Amino acid sequence: MGLFKTSIISLICCSTLFSFEHKNHILYLMNVKEYQQSINYYQKLYKETHEQDFELLQQMALLLLEAGAKSSDQKERQMAMFGAGLAASTRSLKILEKGLFAPEMATQLTALHFICALQDNDINTLLVRAMSSDFLETRVEAAIQLATRKHPCAFGQIQSLMQKLPPFLKPLFPQFFGLIGTSDSTRILKEFLYDEEPNVRVQSIIAIANSNR
């Protein structure tokens, strides 16, 4: 954990470094997890050449973040998600994808948050995959995003999720169907208005009002 954190800080501190002809050697060191040696070598060549290569720095950062995403340490995985998310680049999407299927909920939710902030054709596919998460919180967040984006699979995915969950969670779902806005979702909302559970009826009225149905 300490080495990973130190390496990230070192990369940030040398963000004004310049390019050089030994790029392959630096990337090789990053690939074999000799992060500090790679950064030190970069700094050494910078002092000699005084030329910058931000593309190389980005490659180094992505390799470091990818290693963090694959780490067995939960804190390193989470730090990698924050780094990839703050990069706000579609080049970091594969790193965030690894976090979306991490074994802990916090990393999944962090990855999902940053994935939804990007603009990429693969994001909707990842949201559908997130609906199979072991964590209900992740599935609910993915459901909200699918409904908000009016994804063609949103209705089926959310209806399937509702049927799998215990009845006391049913009041969560009127908001989802209100966001989708299709004829099928409107039909479900009408059915909710006559549900035996008062909270379902109340949430349905709120969803109908919010969506101007």
Side-chain angles (χ1 to χ4, degrees), residues 162 164-172 195-197 200:
M162 180 178 68
K164 293 175 183 177
L165 296 179
F168 71 88
L169 291 173
K170 197 173 181 180
L172 289 173
D195 195 271
E196 62 182 14
E197 172 58 48
V200 175

Side-chain angles (χ1 to χ4, degrees), residues 56-74:
L56 177 58
L57 280 173
Q58 186 177 52
Q59 288 179 281
M60 292 168 68
L62 288 173
L63 286 170
L64 182 59
L65 292 171
E66 185 173 1
K70 295 177 180 177
S71 172
S72 59
D73 186 283
Q74 179 179 341

Side-chain angles (χ1 to χ4, degrees), residues 110-176:
T110 301
L112 186 58
H113 169 77
F114 287 117
I115 284 172
C116 293
L118 297 174
Q119 299 293 327
D120 191 276
N121 293 332
D122 292 333
I123 291 175
N124 285 338
T125 301
L126 291 177
L127 289 175
V128 173
R129 291 180 62 191
M131 292 294 292
S132 63
S133 169
D134 292 334
F135 300 101
L136 175 60
E137 291 85 349
T138 301
R139 284 181 283 169
V140 168
E141 183 61 31
I144 292 174
Q145 293 296 331
L146 285 172
T148 301
R149 294 164 182 258
K150 303 185 187 304
H151 189 280
C153 295
F155 178 79
Q157 289 287 337
I158 292 171
Q159 187 179 44
S160 176
L161 177 62
M162 180 178 68
Q163 293 170 349
K164 293 175 183 177
L165 296 179
F168 71 88
L169 291 173
K170 197 173 181 180
L172 289 173
F173 288 88
Q175 62 170 319
F176 300 150

Side-chain angles (χ1 to χ4, degrees), residues 37-54:
Q37 285 190 36
S38 177
I39 294 168
N40 289 343
Y41 192 49
Y42 192 113
Q43 291 173 322
K44 174 179 177 292
L45 291 173
Y46 158 63
K47 292 176 181 178
E48 296 174 358
T49 63
H50 296 285
E51 296 180 354
Q52 62 180 347
D53 189 336
F54 291 109

Side-chain angles (χ1 to χ4, degrees), residues 90-106:
T90 54
R91 294 184 66 176
S92 61
L93 186 58
K94 292 297 182 183
I95 297 168
L96 292 169
E97 181 179 351
K98 290 181 174 63
L100 190 58
F101 304 101
E104 64 279 347
M105 181 182 68

